[in-house]
Amino acid sequence: MNATSSRTMWMRALAAPVIMGAVFSAGITLAPPADANPRTVTVTTGAGPINVREGAGTNTRVIRTIPNKTRVTIVCHVRGQSFSGGPFGVTTNIWNKLDGGGYVTDAMLETGSNNPVVPACSSAAPATAGRATGQTRGTNTGVSGQCTWGAYHKWFVASGNRHYPALSGNAKDWAASARATGWTVVADAQPRSIVVFQPGVHYADRTYGHVAWADRVEHRADGVYVTITEMNYGGKVGQWNTRTVKDIPGMSFILLP
């Protein structure tokens, strides 16, 4: 089941089928357009609570959390940092403002649509910490089947098949290389990024380190966890692997704008 159909399946019984564009499948009724009224929707993270943030991005301060399956009221939306993850598996830059203040990603709300269901906010959300665009190249320069090739490939796809970051060195050197070539690198876990593991961290090679793609980030009672997609984990050259690891020292994140 694709992300769009799983997110809109509950609307099948409401009315006759409506087809608009290529985003929605036949037999699925679209949600009503945004209007002047607030909307009550359901938090759907698939697991833990959702973070309510000060601004429209994961680099802004968390001001509170709301448990999964809670009904919340959203009053307007802004366009901010792209977020990938959640149970629907969508990528969106829509951030909804709650009636009590703060912003939550649309990716983890059951709204019945992948488009905004409330009007645009009259004023912009607080500025997010920047995700700078650094130097790029047009080809994947990683060694085929290795973790570097896999991380480059995931970045390329997430960028809309536009570019690869111009990085150099072994996996463990990528964070320093990214900073030197103009990309934003942070120590706190962020989705939509390349995660760099220093040697020995979460079974990274003790000589070369390891890199992977960060699909989503989850805050649990005992810390922050990152679900990653990687190539050549455990010496399995050319094979993809997915696992969830705890964010610990020795990990850094190269952010894709």
Side-chain angles (χ1 to χ4, degrees):
M1 183 176 293
N2 61 42
T4 300
S5 62
S6 65
R7 201 173 187 192
T8 57
M9 189 67 71
W10 62 275
M11 301 185 67
R12 285 180 181 274
L14 293 181
V18 175
I19 302 175
M20 293 184 63
V23 175
F24 295 91
S25 302
I28 299 176
T29 303
L30 298 178
D35 55 34
N37 297 319
R39 297 288 295 273
T40 299
V41 297
T42 303
V43 171
T44 307
T45 66
I50 194 172
N51 289 324
V52 180
R53 294 189 175 270
E54 193 173 45
T58 58
N59 287 336
T60 63
R61 183 172 63 94
V62 176
I63 56 179
R64 65 183 185 278
T65 61
I66 298 175
N68 186 33
K69 296 303 181 183
T70 300
R71 297 281 285 171
V72 297
T73 300
I74 56 177
V75 295
C76 60
H77 80 276
V78 298
R79 299 284 181 171
Q81 176 193 2
S82 290
F83 179 90
S84 298
F88 305 113
V90 299
T91 297
T92 181
N93 66 355
I94 301 170
W95 290 78
N96 294 295
K97 186 176 182 180
L98 299 174
D99 63 346
Y103 296 82
V104 292
T105 174
D106 194 68
M108 294 189 183
L109 295 180
E110 188 174 308
T111 66
S113 175
N114 287 344
N115 297 311
V117 296
V118 287
C121 297
S122 58
S123 59
T128 65
R131 286 189 173 216
T133 298
Q135 298 175 28
T136 65
R137 60 169 62 103
T139 58
N140 187 333
T141 58
V143 177
S144 179
Q146 300 294 326
C147 67
T148 49
W149 189 95
Y152 274 137
H153 176 75
K154 294 292 289 185
W155 176 291
F156 181 73
V157 172
S159 75
N161 298 334
R162 292 179 312 207
H163 56 68
Y164 303 90
L167 307 178
S168 60
N170 294 316
K172 65 182 177 63
D173 304 317
W174 273 23
S177 178
R179 292 188 184 96
T181 52
W183 298 98
T184 301
V185 182
V186 297
D188 58 316
Q190 303 286 335
R192 195 175 164 83
S193 67
I194 290 175
V195 54
V196 180
F197 299 90
Q198 291 305 304
V201 175
H202 288 308
Y203 305 105
D205 185 276
R206 292 189 175 278
T207 300
Y208 303 110
H210 187 63
V211 289
W213 180 254
D215 292 302
R216 64 178 181 270
V217 173
E218 179 184 355
H219 292 258
R220 301 180 186 175
D222 64 333
V224 178
Y225 287 79
V226 189
T227 298
I228 62 173
T229 300
E230 61 199 333
M231 184 165 281
N232 193 25
Y233 172 64
K236 297 179 179 179
V237 178
Q239 293 188 26
W240 289 107
N241 178 69
T242 300
R243 58 184 169 129
T244 300
V245 298
K246 189 173 184 179
D247 185 21
I248 61 175
M251 296 166 60
S252 51
F253 299 82
I254 305 170
L255 307 184
L256 174 64

